[in-house]
Amino acid sequence: MTLFSYLNRAFNGFPSSSKLLVVFSLSSGGLVAYSESQSSSAPKNTELEKLPKKKKVVVLGTGWASISFLKDLDISSYDVQVVSPRNYFAFTPLLPSVTCGTVEARSIVEPIRNIIKKKKGEIQFWEAECTKIDATNKKVSCRSTMEANMGKKEFSIDYDYLVVATGAEVNTFNTPGVKEHCHFLKEVEDAQKIRKSVIDCFENAILPGLTEEERRTNLHFVIVGGGPTGVEFAAELHDFVHEDLAKLYPMVQDKVRITIIQSGDHILNTYDSRISSFAETKFARDGIDVNTGCRVISVTDKEVNMEVKATREKVSIPHGMVLWSTGVATRPVVKDFMDQIGQGKRRVLATDEWLRVKGCEDVYAIGDCATLVQRKVMSDIAAIFKAADKDNSGTLIVEEFQDIIDDILIRYPQVNLHLQSQHLSSVTDLLKDPQGNARKEVDIEDFKLALCQVDSQMKSLPATAQVAAQQGTYLSSCFNKRELADFQPEGPLRFKSEGRHEFFPFRYKHLGSFAPLGGEQAAAELPGDWVSVGRSTQWLWYSVYASKQVSWRTRVLVVFDWTRRYIFGRDSSRI
């Protein structure tokens, strides 16, 4: 029975006038209700239209730089999207420990979704690889990396701000045979492959029918590169062999050999010389061969061919496994982006002191994929002099110079480094004459002469996790203060224009470096020119690395792995 039929029967006995009254009341009530609903919804739509649209921030990568950026970013003002071919963050300083089973791979990784879900808001994550950056149209092209992908393999994302934190890849220097026959140690998967390869070398070495020379070749582990990664792997491998594998393969334990090939004069040459000397002495005592001053020219499946730089002598050494750890190179997608913006001749993406990519106002680059290019004092020397010379006299007195000293030190940190290297107590000491006597005033030529040596103190930042993490934290603070900075800029004076810079430029603060050397000994280079070596430093390394884990879950797992290794030894199964 329809509604109208029911109403017709219900009001059958009533006069027509009564029926019309009821219908009119119902229809009027409906119109009133509809009108009220429309009037009440209109202000809401208007309010939504008045709300400012969130700026879209796209982050490429899930490494140290991007995770530090995301953890501290206030996303209430931003629509954040993350693109990365891996859906986790890896604590890369412990990768050498993963290669030998000291720490398990899953103990040093944290799923990216566990990290971003802690934010007050929604951060979208796409497991894909960025294939192209289009800065002109503010768009990035991506491709899914999942093999069983049933959706669209390729897609693009628009952005208002782009944060490039893709990291870097291993630098092979186009050496023949490296990609085909060497292991790398940049990712968790690399560490797992090395772990399997080490066990394979021992299993192959004990097969019947092999000659003594073949067994020695299978158990010769060659490490190309004497930096932190190569040295830490050599130390981990030495401990693994002598503490665990020697008990399982006693028949070949005396045939194991570990060799480090370093092109420089010392291993760990970026550390204090006292640490380099200590590491070389310890490795010599442990039986690890260190060949310095040698350059690898090719690698085959059986030999590493190198040249002794001092004598030009060609030497070939057999190997069972080779680890290549000689620095980093720019990824193809970043290299293509550099070609687009006129940085094609550079070896790495260049940013200014605010981590903005040079030539792209709304693109930032942090971590190993970029390098900060500090502006030179001599490039702005005339503008600095003009800003200080407020009376336009053509000369500069000490009092005028003092008025902008703070801005100079903030904008050009190499000035402070120059003062330290020259043992000068004040910036005004730069204005003294060649004999060291104070001058009442200087002209532009004297001013140029006083500061001409300052730029020689400029140094590039190392490609380390510590630098990347600090850059991510700094950039997030800039994003959080962006609206306020439009009205209250906090940075130093703009010497070539009016006003001040929005933010203070990025400054890296070195908190120290560790180098585990095996045998429960480590070396540390800490602020204040303090160098520490020995067993106590190893325990300091344990505490620092445990505290730096990204979550309590990984912190507990890593400590548990260290305890398990101490009690039960390392696992030697090939998984």
Side-chain angles (χ1 to χ4, degrees):
M1 183 183 296
T2 64
L3 176 63
F4 289 106
S5 300
Y6 176 80
L7 292 174
N8 185 47
R9 293 181 61 184
F11 293 100
N12 191 30
F14 291 87
S16 299
S17 58
S18 300
K19 294 179 182 180
L20 288 173
L21 180 61
V22 171
V23 171
F24 179 77
S25 300
L26 290 173
S27 61
S28 299
L31 288 172
V32 171
Y34 176 77
S35 176
E36 289 180 353
S37 65
Q38 290 296 98
S39 62
S40 62
S41 62
K44 291 182 180 178
N45 291 336
T46 305
E47 290 175 6
L48 288 175
E49 291 176 358
K50 289 181 180 180
L51 289 175
K53 184 180 179 182
K54 287 185 177 183
K55 294 285 188 179
K56 183 181 289 186
V57 179
V58 175
V59 181
L60 304 180
T62 52
W64 282 94
S66 54
I67 293 302
S68 297
F69 174 76
L70 293 171
K71 286 179 67 177
D72 295 324
L73 180 65
D74 179 8
I75 63 172
S76 60
S77 303
Y78 300 103
D79 174 16
V80 185
Q81 299 185 24
V82 183
V83 179
S84 175
R86 64 182 190 186
N87 69 346
Y88 59 86
F89 164 79
F91 192 86
T92 51
L94 285 177
L95 283 179
S97 296
V98 175
T99 63
C100 298
T102 305
V103 172
E104 292 300 321
R106 290 190 178 275
S107 299
I108 67 166
V109 300
E110 182 70 15
I112 182 65
R113 297 187 185 277
N114 284 357
I115 298 174
I116 62 178
K117 75 178 182 181
K118 299 176 182 177
K119 302 295 293 181
K120 295 180 180 178
E122 184 178 359
I123 298 178
Q124 294 178 307
F125 171 74
W126 317 117
E127 187 173 347
E129 180 182 10
C130 177
T131 57
K132 189 175 183 63
I133 300 172
D134 184 355
T136 303
N137 298 310
K138 289 193 170 184
K139 182 182 297 185
V140 292
S141 300
C142 307
R143 181 176 59 244
S144 173
T145 57
M146 291 177 283
E147 296 179 1
N149 181 41
M150 300 301 293
K152 190 176 180 181
K153 291 284 289 184
E154 297 183 355
F155 58 94
S156 61
I157 304 175
D158 298 325
Y159 67 83
D160 293 305
Y161 301 110
L162 177 65
V163 179
V164 183
T166 56
E169 61 184 17
V170 176
N171 194 348
T172 65
F173 299 98
N174 296 319
T175 306
V178 171
K179 290 183 178 180
E180 296 81 4
H181 306 295
C182 293
H183 288 275
F184 305 127
L185 191 50
K186 287 287 291 179
E187 307 288 346
V188 173
E189 294 81 2
D190 296 334
Q192 292 173 319
K193 290 178 182 177
I194 291 174
R195 181 173 177 175
K196 293 178 181 178
S197 184
V198 170
I199 301 301
D200 286 347
C201 289
F202 276 86
E203 294 293 347
N204 289 330
I206 62 172
L207 292 175
L210 296 180
T211 64
E212 291 298 302
E213 186 61 29
E214 288 174 331
R215 299 185 197 277
R216 293 183 185 278
T217 298
N218 276 324
L219 295 176
H220 188 192
F221 301 94
V222 179
I223 301 159
V224 183
T229 301
V231 168
E232 289 177 33
F233 172 70
E236 283 282 354
L237 181 59
H238 176 269
D239 287 354
F240 187 29
V241 169
H242 289 81
E243 295 176 7
D244 301 279
L245 297 182
K247 303 172 185 176
L248 303 176
Y249 306 91
M251 66 292 294
V252 293
Q253 63 173 323
D254 59 337
K255 296 177 177 57
V256 179
R257 183 183 173 194
I258 302 173
T259 299
I260 297 177
I261 300 175
Q262 166 71 345
S263 61
D265 295 331
H266 299 279
I267 60 175
L268 298 177
N269 52 15
T270 59
Y271 287 69
D272 188 279
S273 58
R274 290 169 289 182
I275 293 179
S276 297
S277 299
F278 178 82
E280 290 172 357
T281 301
K282 184 182 185 305
F283 280 2
R285 187 170 62 249
D286 292 341
I288 299 175
D289 297 330
V290 178
N291 297 332
T292 56
C294 298
R295 181 175 65 90
V296 174
I297 55 179
S298 66
V299 181
T300 68
D301 59 338
K302 296 181 179 179
E303 292 181 329
V304 175
N305 303 307
M306 61 183 183
E307 178 186 74
V308 180
K309 295 167 69 173
T311 62
R312 299 293 181 183
E313 178 187 2
K314 302 292 191 300
V315 180
S316 297
I317 57 175
H319 70 80
M321 192 199 84
V322 182
L323 171 68
W324 187 272
S325 177
T326 59
V328 295
T330 305
R331 293 189 184 276
V333 63
V334 177
K335 190 64 178 175
D336 176 72
F337 176 55
M338 292 167 63
D339 292 335
Q340 294 180 45
I341 61 176
Q343 294 190 22
K345 294 183 178 180
R346 298 187 59 89
R347 287 187 287 182
V348 66
L349 187 61
T351 72
D352 62 15
E353 299 91 325
W354 291 269
L355 307 181
R356 288 188 298 254
V357 174
K358 294 201 169 186
C360 297
E361 185 65 24
D362 297 323
V363 181
Y364 299 82
I366 52 180
D368 294 355
C369 68
T371 184
L372 188 155
V373 179
Q374 175 63 49
R375 189 166 180 83
K376 295 181 179 180
V377 171
M378 296 308 294
S379 299
D380 299 335
I381 193 69
I384 296 173
F385 186 87
K386 183 178 179 180
D389 185 18
K390 295 180 179 179
D391 59 0
N392 296 320
S393 63
T395 59
L396 197 66
I397 61 176
V398 173
E399 287 75 11
E400 290 177 322
F401 187 45
Q402 286 177 330
D403 289 340
I404 63 168
I405 281 177
D406 291 339
D407 293 294
I408 292 175
L409 292 176
I410 293 172
R411 184 69 178 85
Y412 310 97
Q414 61 266 38
V415 174
N416 195 42
L417 294 175
H418 180 71
L419 294 177
Q420 295 175 6
S421 66
Q422 299 298 315
H423 305 290
L424 300 177
S425 58
S426 172
V427 182
T428 56
D429 291 341
L430 294 172
L431 301 184
K432 293 181 179 180
D433 63 20
Q435 288 73 38
N437 301 317
R439 290 184 285 196
K440 292 185 178 180
E441 58 183 20
V442 294
D443 58 18
I444 183 64
E445 295 303 322
D446 291 332
F447 192 64
K448 289 180 180 179
L449 186 63
L451 297 175
C452 65
Q453 300 297 322
V454 168
D455 291 328
S456 63
Q457 296 295 323
M458 292 169 51
K459 297 179 180 179
S460 299
L461 296 177
T464 63
Q466 188 176 163
V467 172
Q470 290 187 26
Q471 287 180 337
T473 301
Y474 165 82
L475 188 59
S476 66
S477 69
C478 293
F479 272 67
N480 295 341
K481 296 181 292 186
R482 185 178 294 277
E483 294 183 2
L484 179 62
D486 291 339
F487 305 98
Q488 298 179 7
E490 65 179 14
L493 284 172
R494 297 178 184 268
F495 290 110
K496 287 196 170 184
S497 60
E498 298 295 327
R500 291 183 169 272
H501 291 279
E502 292 178 316
F503 310 106
F504 288 110
F506 172 73
R507 290 290 176 267
Y508 169 62
K509 183 178 180 181
H510 185 61
L511 302 178
S513 300
F514 286 93
L517 301 174
E520 293 298 319
Q521 296 193 55
E525 184 181 39
L526 302 174
D529 195 32
W530 180 35
V531 172
S532 175
V533 296
R535 294 183 180 274
S536 59
T537 308
Q538 179 69 26
W539 285 100
L540 178 62
W541 178 84
Y542 283 137
S543 61
V544 170
Y545 274 38
S547 65
K548 292 296 181 181
Q549 294 299 313
V550 73
S551 69
W552 274 103
R553 185 189 71 86
T554 55
R555 189 172 295 123
V556 171
L557 289 175
V558 165
V559 173
F560 176 79
D561 285 346
W562 285 334
T563 306
R564 172 189 50 77
R565 191 272 305 173
Y566 181 78
I567 299 174
F568 301 106
R570 300 169 181 84
D571 181 21
S572 61
S573 57
R574 190 189 176 277
I575 55 174

